[in-house]
Amino acid sequence: MRITIAQSIWHVYAFPCFCNDWSMGRAGKVLKTVLEKYEISQGRLAVVMGIGSSNVFRWANELRDPSSETLLAIIRALYKIDPTAAEEFKALYLTGLGHETDFNH
């Protein structure tokens, strides 16, 4: 089952309890893992997103957590660069929620 971008971020609004301690730093860890695995530079992601590379550096090094809107922007940018990387980012980020593949129940 393919998960849409909207479904990927849906948990942020539907399950706010998961977006506090559990997710602190999680997006950064996942982002760093995906960027390294798919050999995508922080600079390249920043250019595609239209932001400064220092922002991507802060997320990837867990100095700052991206907002829900920024998570969507990261996913969209990854799709432009490498759709497989975007899918892996979503899957890894959602792992542990228990809802990563079952949004219809």
Side-chain angles (χ1 to χ4, degrees), residues 2 5 40 44-50 72-87:
R2 186 177 171 118
I5 292 172
I40 301 168
R44 183 171 180 206
L45 180 61
V47 167
V48 173
M49 291 180 71
L72 281 172
I74 290 169
I75 293 167
R76 287 185 183 117
L78 287 172
Y79 268 114
K80 290 178 183 176
I81 297 167
D82 185 335
T84 306
E87 288 293 324

PDB file of all heavy atoms in Angstrom, residues 2 5 40 44-50 72-87:
ATOM      1  N   ARG A   2       0.681   2.125  -0.924  1.00  0.00           N
ATOM      2  CA  ARG A   2       1.442   3.363  -0.999  1.00  0.00           C
ATOM      3  C   ARG A   2       0.795   4.418  -0.106  1.00  0.00           C
ATOM      4  O   ARG A   2      -0.417   4.614  -0.137  1.00  0.00           O
ATOM      5  CB  ARG A   2       1.500   3.843  -2.439  1.00  0.00           C
ATOM      6  CG  ARG A   2       2.388   5.037  -2.600  1.00  0.00           C
ATOM      7  CD  ARG A   2       2.459   5.425  -4.055  1.00  0.00           C
ATOM      8  NE  ARG A   2       3.140   6.676  -4.135  1.00  0.00           N
ATOM      9  CZ  ARG A   2       4.277   6.864  -4.755  1.00  0.00           C
ATOM     10  NH1 ARG A   2       4.822   5.873  -5.396  1.00  0.00           N
ATOM     11  NH2 ARG A   2       4.856   8.030  -4.778  1.00  0.00           N
ATOM     12  N   ILE A   5       1.551  11.697   0.870  1.00  0.00           N
ATOM     13  CA  ILE A   5       2.207  12.688   1.719  1.00  0.00           C
ATOM     14  C   ILE A   5       1.253  13.142   2.817  1.00  0.00           C
ATOM     15  O   ILE A   5       1.634  13.244   3.979  1.00  0.00           O
ATOM     16  CB  ILE A   5       2.689  13.886   0.886  1.00  0.00           C
ATOM     17  CG1 ILE A   5       3.820  13.451  -0.044  1.00  0.00           C
ATOM     18  CG2 ILE A   5       3.148  15.022   1.787  1.00  0.00           C
ATOM     19  CD1 ILE A   5       4.240  14.508  -1.035  1.00  0.00           C
ATOM     20  N   ILE A  40      22.602  11.937  -1.035  1.00  0.00           N
ATOM     21  CA  ILE A  40      22.011  13.245  -1.302  1.00  0.00           C
ATOM     22  C   ILE A  40      22.660  14.225  -0.332  1.00  0.00           C
ATOM     23  O   ILE A  40      22.601  14.022   0.880  1.00  0.00           O
ATOM     24  CB  ILE A  40      20.482  13.226  -1.090  1.00  0.00           C
ATOM     25  CG1 ILE A  40      19.822  12.195  -2.019  1.00  0.00           C
ATOM     26  CG2 ILE A  40      19.896  14.617  -1.303  1.00  0.00           C
ATOM     27  CD1 ILE A  40      18.361  11.910  -1.688  1.00  0.00           C
ATOM     28  N   ARG A  44      22.140  19.943  -1.612  1.00  0.00           N
ATOM     29  CA  ARG A  44      21.212  19.649  -2.705  1.00  0.00           C
ATOM     30  C   ARG A  44      19.769  19.684  -2.215  1.00  0.00           C
ATOM     31  O   ARG A  44      18.893  20.243  -2.871  1.00  0.00           O
ATOM     32  CB  ARG A  44      21.532  18.297  -3.317  1.00  0.00           C
ATOM     33  CG  ARG A  44      20.654  17.979  -4.508  1.00  0.00           C
ATOM     34  CD  ARG A  44      21.115  16.762  -5.242  1.00  0.00           C
ATOM     35  NE  ARG A  44      20.251  16.500  -6.378  1.00  0.00           N
ATOM     36  CZ  ARG A  44      20.071  15.314  -6.913  1.00  0.00           C
ATOM     37  NH1 ARG A  44      20.728  14.268  -6.454  1.00  0.00           N
ATOM     38  NH2 ARG A  44      19.258  15.144  -7.937  1.00  0.00           N
ATOM     39  N   LEU A  45      19.522  19.087  -1.052  1.00  0.00           N
ATOM     40  CA  LEU A  45      18.170  19.113  -0.496  1.00  0.00           C
ATOM     41  C   LEU A  45      17.743  20.554  -0.242  1.00  0.00           C
ATOM     42  O   LEU A  45      16.626  20.948  -0.573  1.00  0.00           O
ATOM     43  CB  LEU A  45      18.088  18.288   0.793  1.00  0.00           C
ATOM     44  CG  LEU A  45      16.720  18.251   1.466  1.00  0.00           C
ATOM     45  CD1 LEU A  45      15.660  17.623   0.556  1.00  0.00           C
ATOM     46  CD2 LEU A  45      16.796  17.493   2.787  1.00  0.00           C
ATOM     47  N   ALA A  46      18.649  21.356   0.305  1.00  0.00           N
ATOM     48  CA  ALA A  46      18.339  22.758   0.591  1.00  0.00           C
ATOM     49  C   ALA A  46      17.989  23.518  -0.684  1.00  0.00           C
ATOM     50  O   ALA A  46      17.021  24.287  -0.710  1.00  0.00           O
ATOM     51  CB  ALA A  46      19.521  23.416   1.299  1.00  0.00           C
ATOM     52  N   VAL A  47      18.748  23.299  -1.753  1.00  0.00           N
ATOM     53  CA  VAL A  47      18.478  23.992  -3.019  1.00  0.00           C
ATOM     54  C   VAL A  47      17.099  23.621  -3.550  1.00  0.00           C
ATOM     55  O   VAL A  47      16.315  24.486  -3.954  1.00  0.00           O
ATOM     56  CB  VAL A  47      19.572  23.676  -4.070  1.00  0.00           C
ATOM     57  CG1 VAL A  47      19.156  24.108  -5.460  1.00  0.00           C
ATOM     58  CG2 VAL A  47      20.887  24.336  -3.677  1.00  0.00           C
ATOM     59  N   VAL A  48      16.780  22.328  -3.526  1.00  0.00           N
ATOM     60  CA  VAL A  48      15.473  21.883  -4.023  1.00  0.00           C
ATOM     61  C   VAL A  48      14.352  22.452  -3.161  1.00  0.00           C
ATOM     62  O   VAL A  48      13.281  22.795  -3.666  1.00  0.00           O
ATOM     63  CB  VAL A  48      15.409  20.341  -4.101  1.00  0.00           C
ATOM     64  CG1 VAL A  48      14.014  19.858  -4.448  1.00  0.00           C
ATOM     65  CG2 VAL A  48      16.419  19.821  -5.116  1.00  0.00           C
ATOM     66  N   MET A  49      14.592  22.587  -1.864  1.00  0.00           N
ATOM     67  CA  MET A  49      13.579  23.140  -0.965  1.00  0.00           C
ATOM     68  C   MET A  49      13.530  24.670  -1.032  1.00  0.00           C
ATOM     69  O   MET A  49      12.578  25.275  -0.555  1.00  0.00           O
ATOM     70  CB  MET A  49      13.857  22.711   0.482  1.00  0.00           C
ATOM     71  CG  MET A  49      13.645  21.246   0.739  1.00  0.00           C
ATOM     72  SD  MET A  49      13.982  20.787   2.464  1.00  0.00           S
ATOM     73  CE  MET A  49      12.573  21.546   3.292  1.00  0.00           C
ATOM     74  N   GLY A  50      14.578  25.289  -1.590  1.00  0.00           N
ATOM     75  CA  GLY A  50      14.623  26.746  -1.663  1.00  0.00           C
ATOM     76  C   GLY A  50      14.951  27.403  -0.338  1.00  0.00           C
ATOM     77  O   GLY A  50      14.469  28.498  -0.038  1.00  0.00           O
ATOM     78  N   LEU A  72       6.592  17.996   5.418  1.00  0.00           N
ATOM     79  CA  LEU A  72       5.969  17.865   4.099  1.00  0.00           C
ATOM     80  C   LEU A  72       6.896  18.394   3.004  1.00  0.00           C
ATOM     81  O   LEU A  72       7.044  17.775   1.954  1.00  0.00           O
ATOM     82  CB  LEU A  72       4.646  18.626   4.047  1.00  0.00           C
ATOM     83  CG  LEU A  72       3.452  17.946   4.682  1.00  0.00           C
ATOM     84  CD1 LEU A  72       2.262  18.898   4.719  1.00  0.00           C
ATOM     85  CD2 LEU A  72       3.094  16.685   3.927  1.00  0.00           C
ATOM     86  N   ALA A  73       7.529  19.530   3.258  1.00  0.00           N
ATOM     87  CA  ALA A  73       8.445  20.114   2.277  1.00  0.00           C
ATOM     88  C   ALA A  73       9.655  19.203   2.036  1.00  0.00           C
ATOM     89  O   ALA A  73      10.120  19.066   0.900  1.00  0.00           O
ATOM     90  CB  ALA A  73       8.895  21.496   2.735  1.00  0.00           C
ATOM     91  N   ILE A  74      10.154  18.569   3.101  1.00  0.00           N
ATOM     92  CA  ILE A  74      11.276  17.632   2.963  1.00  0.00           C
ATOM     93  C   ILE A  74      10.856  16.458   2.092  1.00  0.00           C
ATOM     94  O   ILE A  74      11.590  16.064   1.174  1.00  0.00           O
ATOM     95  CB  ILE A  74      11.758  17.151   4.354  1.00  0.00           C
ATOM     96  CG1 ILE A  74      12.448  18.285   5.111  1.00  0.00           C
ATOM     97  CG2 ILE A  74      12.688  15.947   4.208  1.00  0.00           C
ATOM     98  CD1 ILE A  74      12.713  17.986   6.582  1.00  0.00           C
ATOM     99  N   ILE A  75       9.690  15.912   2.358  1.00  0.00           N
ATOM    100  CA  ILE A  75       9.206  14.772   1.582  1.00  0.00           C
ATOM    101  C   ILE A  75       9.030  15.159   0.121  1.00  0.00           C
ATOM    102  O   ILE A  75       9.453  14.432  -0.786  1.00  0.00           O
ATOM    103  CB  ILE A  75       7.904  14.214   2.183  1.00  0.00           C
ATOM    104  CG1 ILE A  75       8.188  13.592   3.552  1.00  0.00           C
ATOM    105  CG2 ILE A  75       7.263  13.192   1.243  1.00  0.00           C
ATOM    106  CD1 ILE A  75       6.950  13.284   4.376  1.00  0.00           C
ATOM    107  N   ARG A  76       8.440  16.311  -0.137  1.00  0.00           N
ATOM    108  CA  ARG A  76       8.249  16.766  -1.520  1.00  0.00           C
ATOM    109  C   ARG A  76       9.587  16.942  -2.232  1.00  0.00           C
ATOM    110  O   ARG A  76       9.740  16.564  -3.397  1.00  0.00           O
ATOM    111  CB  ARG A  76       7.461  18.072  -1.544  1.00  0.00           C
ATOM    112  CG  ARG A  76       6.002  17.893  -1.223  1.00  0.00           C
ATOM    113  CD  ARG A  76       5.231  19.204  -1.381  1.00  0.00           C
ATOM    114  NE  ARG A  76       3.847  19.005  -1.006  1.00  0.00           N
ATOM    115  CZ  ARG A  76       3.240  19.613   0.005  1.00  0.00           C
ATOM    116  NH1 ARG A  76       3.907  20.474   0.752  1.00  0.00           N
ATOM    117  NH2 ARG A  76       1.978  19.362   0.274  1.00  0.00           N
ATOM    118  N   ALA A  77      10.549  17.540  -1.538  1.00  0.00           N
ATOM    119  CA  ALA A  77      11.872  17.749  -2.138  1.00  0.00           C
ATOM    120  C   ALA A  77      12.562  16.418  -2.405  1.00  0.00           C
ATOM    121  O   ALA A  77      13.180  16.232  -3.462  1.00  0.00           O
ATOM    122  CB  ALA A  77      12.721  18.626  -1.218  1.00  0.00           C
ATOM    123  N   LEU A  78      12.456  15.492  -1.458  1.00  0.00           N
ATOM    124  CA  LEU A  78      13.061  14.175  -1.678  1.00  0.00           C
ATOM    125  C   LEU A  78      12.432  13.471  -2.870  1.00  0.00           C
ATOM    126  O   LEU A  78      13.127  12.799  -3.635  1.00  0.00           O
ATOM    127  CB  LEU A  78      12.947  13.318  -0.413  1.00  0.00           C
ATOM    128  CG  LEU A  78      13.873  13.697   0.744  1.00  0.00           C
ATOM    129  CD1 LEU A  78      13.524  12.899   1.994  1.00  0.00           C
ATOM    130  CD2 LEU A  78      15.332  13.492   0.359  1.00  0.00           C
ATOM    131  N   TYR A  79      11.128  13.627  -3.053  1.00  0.00           N
ATOM    132  CA  TYR A  79      10.468  13.031  -4.226  1.00  0.00           C
ATOM    133  C   TYR A  79      11.056  13.595  -5.520  1.00  0.00           C
ATOM    134  O   TYR A  79      11.206  12.883  -6.500  1.00  0.00           O
ATOM    135  CB  TYR A  79       8.957  13.267  -4.210  1.00  0.00           C
ATOM    136  CG  TYR A  79       8.194  12.153  -3.556  1.00  0.00           C
ATOM    137  CD1 TYR A  79       7.510  12.362  -2.373  1.00  0.00           C
ATOM    138  CD2 TYR A  79       8.155  10.877  -4.109  1.00  0.00           C
ATOM    139  CE1 TYR A  79       6.804  11.338  -1.752  1.00  0.00           C
ATOM    140  CE2 TYR A  79       7.461   9.852  -3.504  1.00  0.00           C
ATOM    141  CZ  TYR A  79       6.790  10.088  -2.338  1.00  0.00           C
ATOM    142  OH  TYR A  79       6.102   9.067  -1.724  1.00  0.00           O
ATOM    143  N   LYS A  80      11.369  14.880  -5.538  1.00  0.00           N
ATOM    144  CA  LYS A  80      11.955  15.492  -6.729  1.00  0.00           C
ATOM    145  C   LYS A  80      13.357  14.960  -6.997  1.00  0.00           C
ATOM    146  O   LYS A  80      13.768  14.823  -8.144  1.00  0.00           O
ATOM    147  CB  LYS A  80      11.999  17.012  -6.578  1.00  0.00           C
ATOM    148  CG  LYS A  80      10.628  17.656  -6.621  1.00  0.00           C
ATOM    149  CD  LYS A  80      10.729  19.150  -6.423  1.00  0.00           C
ATOM    150  CE  LYS A  80       9.343  19.791  -6.388  1.00  0.00           C
ATOM    151  NZ  LYS A  80       9.393  21.222  -6.114  1.00  0.00           N
ATOM    152  N   ILE A  81      14.090  14.674  -5.922  1.00  0.00           N
ATOM    153  CA  ILE A  81      15.472  14.207  -6.059  1.00  0.00           C
ATOM    154  C   ILE A  81      15.516  12.707  -6.314  1.00  0.00           C
ATOM    155  O   ILE A  81      16.197  12.235  -7.226  1.00  0.00           O
ATOM    156  CB  ILE A  81      16.287  14.556  -4.790  1.00  0.00           C
ATOM    157  CG1 ILE A  81      16.361  16.072  -4.606  1.00  0.00           C
ATOM    158  CG2 ILE A  81      17.681  13.937  -4.846  1.00  0.00           C
ATOM    159  CD1 ILE A  81      16.871  16.504  -3.253  1.00  0.00           C
ATOM    160  N   ASP A  82      14.802  11.951  -5.471  1.00  0.00           N
ATOM    161  CA  ASP A  82      14.812  10.487  -5.562  1.00  0.00           C
ATOM    162  C   ASP A  82      13.567   9.954  -4.851  1.00  0.00           C
ATOM    163  O   ASP A  82      13.525   9.928  -3.622  1.00  0.00           O
ATOM    164  CB  ASP A  82      16.074   9.920  -4.917  1.00  0.00           C
ATOM    165  CG  ASP A  82      16.227   8.424  -5.069  1.00  0.00           C
ATOM    166  OD1 ASP A  82      15.211   7.715  -5.242  1.00  0.00           O
ATOM    167  OD2 ASP A  82      17.373   7.947  -5.008  1.00  0.00           O
ATOM    168  N   PRO A  83      12.568   9.542  -5.623  1.00  0.00           N
ATOM    169  CA  PRO A  83      11.324   9.065  -5.006  1.00  0.00           C
ATOM    170  C   PRO A  83      11.526   7.912  -4.019  1.00  0.00           C
ATOM    171  O   PRO A  83      10.820   7.832  -3.014  1.00  0.00           O
ATOM    172  CB  PRO A  83      10.477   8.617  -6.204  1.00  0.00           C
ATOM    173  CG  PRO A  83      10.994   9.414  -7.352  1.00  0.00           C
ATOM    174  CD  PRO A  83      12.468   9.564  -7.088  1.00  0.00           C
ATOM    175  N   THR A  84      12.494   7.062  -4.273  1.00  0.00           N
ATOM    176  CA  THR A  84      12.756   5.953  -3.353  1.00  0.00           C
ATOM    177  C   THR A  84      13.243   6.487  -2.007  1.00  0.00           C
ATOM    178  O   THR A  84      12.866   5.971  -0.952  1.00  0.00           O
ATOM    179  CB  THR A  84      13.787   4.976  -3.951  1.00  0.00           C
ATOM    180  OG1 THR A  84      13.330   4.571  -5.244  1.00  0.00           O
ATOM    181  CG2 THR A  84      13.975   3.762  -3.073  1.00  0.00           C
ATOM    182  N   ALA A  85      14.054   7.516  -2.032  1.00  0.00           N
ATOM    183  CA  ALA A  85      14.527   8.138  -0.793  1.00  0.00           C
ATOM    184  C   ALA A  85      13.359   8.746  -0.029  1.00  0.00           C
ATOM    185  O   ALA A  85      13.293   8.638   1.210  1.00  0.00           O
ATOM    186  CB  ALA A  85      15.579   9.200  -1.104  1.00  0.00           C
ATOM    187  N   ALA A  86      12.428   9.357  -0.744  1.00  0.00           N
ATOM    188  CA  ALA A  86      11.246   9.945  -0.094  1.00  0.00           C
ATOM    189  C   ALA A  86      10.400   8.872   0.575  1.00  0.00           C
ATOM    190  O   ALA A  86       9.953   9.043   1.712  1.00  0.00           O
ATOM    191  CB  ALA A  86      10.417  10.718  -1.118  1.00  0.00           C
ATOM    192  N   GLU A  87      10.200   7.769  -0.122  1.00  0.00           N
ATOM    193  CA  GLU A  87       9.418   6.664   0.448  1.00  0.00           C
ATOM    194  C   GLU A  87      10.102   6.107   1.693  1.00  0.00           C
ATOM    195  O   GLU A  87       9.445   5.804   2.692  1.00  0.00           O
ATOM    196  CB  GLU A  87       9.203   5.560  -0.591  1.00  0.00           C
ATOM    197  CG  GLU A  87       8.232   5.930  -1.690  1.00  0.00           C
ATOM    198  CD  GLU A  87       6.806   6.095  -1.191  1.00  0.00           C
ATOM    199  OE1 GLU A  87       6.377   5.362  -0.284  1.00  0.00           O
ATOM    200  OE2 GLU A  87       6.107   6.976  -1.724  1.00  0.00           O
TER     201      GLU A  87
END
